[in-house]
């Protein structure tokens, strides 16, 4: 571990020197790239410096223990720094775990009402509200892409882009089937029903190397509907693109311009096709894929929202919070932090 940390320290120091070079400073793109790399390494370097100083304090305390007059104080110092070194060692192990290259990216989120009819659509709307509040708490921005309202409220399908700092690192664990247990507003006998909505989170990808033939596309235009107001319905601005070989369908209607909607729909299509390729690649890994916390498989039941007991349970890590009301108001962080912690533990244990 220390060999790797020394290499990181050397790289950090080299970057610092490069950033002082006038020739480098005149190149904006290079400065931006180096500054980003330096920022990524900073926490590890600072933690390693603290680790080295703590080791020095331990050696000093071991020497002082030989002095009868300083023995008691030295033993206390030794004990405290030994405990601190163990903690720093663990923190450095976590920092050395290879980071997901997509963690810093924006995401496309798709939420669909699944089993349960109108109640499933209403729950899909509740999940969108939950993620909207969570995004606001993190200072992220949400842009609606496409929505199909449910007949009794909520959405049968809604897609949005969430932009901000490290969005994917937090939301990548949300893909899967979310189950709700509650008395629906449409229920007259007061019985608890179980319904589900599915969530799919995909990282935004730029310049995806996917060849899409024009002949493989079916493009439809139609009147926009939904949150755009009356003016969006005056022309055929909404665009639906179907990729015939995979039957992948994308729709965009949030822009007033048909051309802008088409550009955004094509970008969304590439993201979906790229995500499908990754899903197929991971599925081929068999049992290794099952060790992951977030698989992105819609059929995997990941979480239950139990309204009568005010409880949310994430089944992947057997983690529950008795504050469903606050979770639905955007306080999802305790669940996500628990998922991140478990994910790191599995990686430390050598799981793929």
């Amino acid at each position: 571990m220390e060999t790797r940390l020394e290499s990181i320290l050397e790289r950090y120091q080299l970057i610092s020197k490069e950033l002082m070079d006038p020739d480098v400073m005149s190149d904006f793109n290079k400065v931006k790239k180096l500054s980003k790399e330096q920022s990524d390494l900073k926490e590890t370097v600072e933690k390693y410096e603290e680790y080295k100083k703590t080791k020095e304090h331990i050696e000093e305390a071991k020497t002082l223990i030989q002095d009868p007059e300083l023995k008691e104080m030295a033993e206390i110092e030794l004990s405290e720094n030994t405990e601190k070194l163990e903690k720093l060692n663990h923190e450095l192990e976590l920092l050395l775990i290879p980071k997901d290259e997509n963690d810093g990216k924006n995401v496309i989120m798709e939420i669909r009402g699944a089993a349960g009819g109108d109640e499933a659509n209403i729950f899909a709307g509740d999940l969108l509200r939950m993620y909207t509040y969570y995004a606001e708490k993190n200072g992220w921005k949400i842009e609606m892409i496409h929505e199909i309202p449910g007949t009794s409220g909520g959405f049968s399908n809604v897609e949005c882009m969430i932009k901000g700092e490290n969005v994917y690192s937090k939301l990548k664990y949300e893909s899967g089937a979310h189950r709700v247990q509650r008395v629906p507003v449409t229920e007259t006998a007061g019985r608890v029903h179980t319904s589900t909505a599915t969530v799919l989170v995909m990282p935004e990808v730029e310049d995806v190397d996917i060849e899409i033939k024009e002949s493989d596309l079916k493009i439809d235009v139609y009147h926009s509907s939904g949150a755009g107001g009356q003016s969006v319905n005056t022309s055929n601005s909404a665009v639906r693109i179907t990729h015939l070989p995979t039957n992948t369908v994308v729709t965009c209607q949030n822009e007033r311009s048909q051309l802008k909607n088409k550009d955004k729909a094509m970008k969304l299509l590439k993201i979906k096709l790229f995500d499908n390729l990754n899903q197929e690649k991971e599925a081929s890994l068999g049992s290794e894929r099952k060790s992951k916390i977030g698989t992105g498989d819609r059929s995997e039941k990941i979480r239950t929202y139990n309204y009568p007991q005010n409880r949310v349970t994430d089944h992947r890590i057997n983690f529950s919070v008795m504050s469903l009301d606050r979770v639905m108001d955007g306080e999802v962080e305790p669940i996500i932090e628990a998922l991140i912690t478990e994910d790191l533990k599995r990686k430390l244990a050598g799981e793929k």
Side-chain angles (χ1 to χ4, degrees), residues 1-9 93 95-98:
M1 183 180 81
E2 290 188 17
T3 302
R4 291 176 63 193
L5 289 166
E6 280 297 327
S7 297
I8 290 171
L9 177 59
E93 283 181 337
L95 288 169
L96 287 175
I97 293 173

Side-chain angles (χ1 to χ4, degrees), residues 104-154:
K105 294 181 178 179
N106 302 325
V107 306
I108 300 292
M109 176 177 280
E110 178 185 274
I111 307 174
R112 292 177 179 268
D118 288 341
E119 168 64 1
N121 294 339
I122 292 170
F123 180 51
D126 293 339
L127 288 176
L128 176 64
R129 174 180 174 273
M130 178 185 79
Y131 290 124
T132 299
Y133 284 159
Y134 181 61
E136 290 173 356
K137 290 176 186 290
N138 283 279
W140 301 337
K141 181 182 178 184
I142 288 192
E143 293 180 4
M144 300 306 296
I145 296 174
H146 174 60
E147 57 195 68
I148 302 177
T151 55
S152 298

Side-chain angles (χ1 to χ4, degrees), residues 282-296:
E282 289 185 358
S284 68
L285 296 176
S287 60
E288 288 184 4
R289 186 171 183 268
K290 293 177 182 177
S291 71
K292 293 179 64 180
I293 286 180
T295 65

Side-chain angles (χ1 to χ4, degrees), residues 92-277:
L92 284 167
E93 283 181 337
L94 296 179
L95 288 169
L96 287 175
I97 293 173
K99 292 180 173 59
D100 187 331
E101 62 181 13
N102 292 319
D103 276 352
K105 294 181 178 179
N106 302 325
V107 306
I108 300 292
M109 176 177 280
E110 178 185 274
I111 307 174
R112 292 177 179 268
D118 288 341
E119 168 64 1
N121 294 339
I122 292 170
F123 180 51
D126 293 339
L127 288 176
L128 176 64
R129 174 180 174 273
M130 178 185 79
Y131 290 124
T132 299
Y133 284 159
Y134 181 61
E136 290 173 356
K137 290 176 186 290
N138 283 279
W140 301 337
K141 181 182 178 184
I142 288 192
E143 293 180 4
M144 300 306 296
I145 296 174
H146 174 60
E147 57 195 68
I148 302 177
T151 55
S152 298
F155 301 94
S156 64
N157 181 23
V158 60
E159 292 175 309
C160 61
M161 175 173 279
I162 305 178
K163 297 181 175 181
E165 186 176 353
N166 297 320
V167 180
Y168 187 72
S169 69
K170 296 291 186 75
L171 294 181
K172 63 183 177 183
Y173 303 102
E174 296 304 292
S175 290
H178 295 240
R179 181 175 69 173
V180 63
Q181 295 175 322
R182 64 184 178 188
V183 178
V185 293
T186 54
E187 168 63 46
T188 57
R191 294 172 298 179
V192 174
H193 287 219
T194 298
S195 304
T196 59
T198 61
V199 175
L200 179 62
V201 176
M202 298 168 286
E204 182 183 21
V205 285
E206 300 292 341
D207 302 321
V208 180
D209 187 19
I210 294 180
E211 182 183 358
I212 300 178
K213 298 177 182 177
E214 195 72 30
S215 58
D216 287 340
L217 301 178
K218 178 175 182 257
I219 301 176
D220 300 305
V221 294
Y222 58 97
H223 287 316
S224 297
S225 61
Q230 186 176 357
S231 59
V232 299
N233 295 312
T234 58
S235 63
N236 290 333
S237 60
V239 176
R240 180 191 302 111
I241 302 177
T242 304
H243 185 245
L244 300 173
T246 61
N247 199 33
T248 302
V249 180
V250 295
T251 306
C252 187
Q253 63 178 32
N254 65 316
E255 301 287 350
R256 295 177 185 272
S257 160
Q258 182 186 125
L259 183 61
K260 287 182 179 179
N261 278 327
K262 183 180 177 182
D263 288 343
K264 190 170 282 189
M266 281 300 298
K267 182 178 181 180
L268 180 57
L269 177 62
K270 287 184 177 181
I271 291 172
K272 285 197 173 186
L273 292 177
F274 186 72
D275 185 69
N276 288 341
L277 286 174

Side-chain angles (χ1 to χ4, degrees), residues 329-348:
D329 282 337
E331 291 188 20
V332 194
E333 193 67 22
I335 301 172
I336 289 176
E337 284 297 329
L339 287 161
I340 291 173
T341 299
E342 178 61 24
D343 197 20
L344 290 174
K345 283 181 181 177
R346 294 186 185 188
K347 286 174 179 174
L348 277 173

Side-chain angles (χ1 to χ4, degrees), residues 16 24 34-36 79 95 109 126 133 135 149-150 188 206 294 296 315:
S16 298
V24 173
L34 287 172
S35 297
K36 173 67 167 60
S79 176
L95 288 169
M109 176 177 280
D126 293 339
Y133 284 159
T188 57
E206 300 292 341
H315 304 290

Side-chain angles (χ1 to χ4, degrees), residues 307-322:
Y307 275 72
Q309 298 178 19
N310 198 38
R311 184 184 71 237
V312 180
T313 300
D314 195 288
H315 304 290
R316 294 164 294 180
I317 56 174
N318 196 27
F319 178 82
S320 295
V321 291
M322 306 302 293

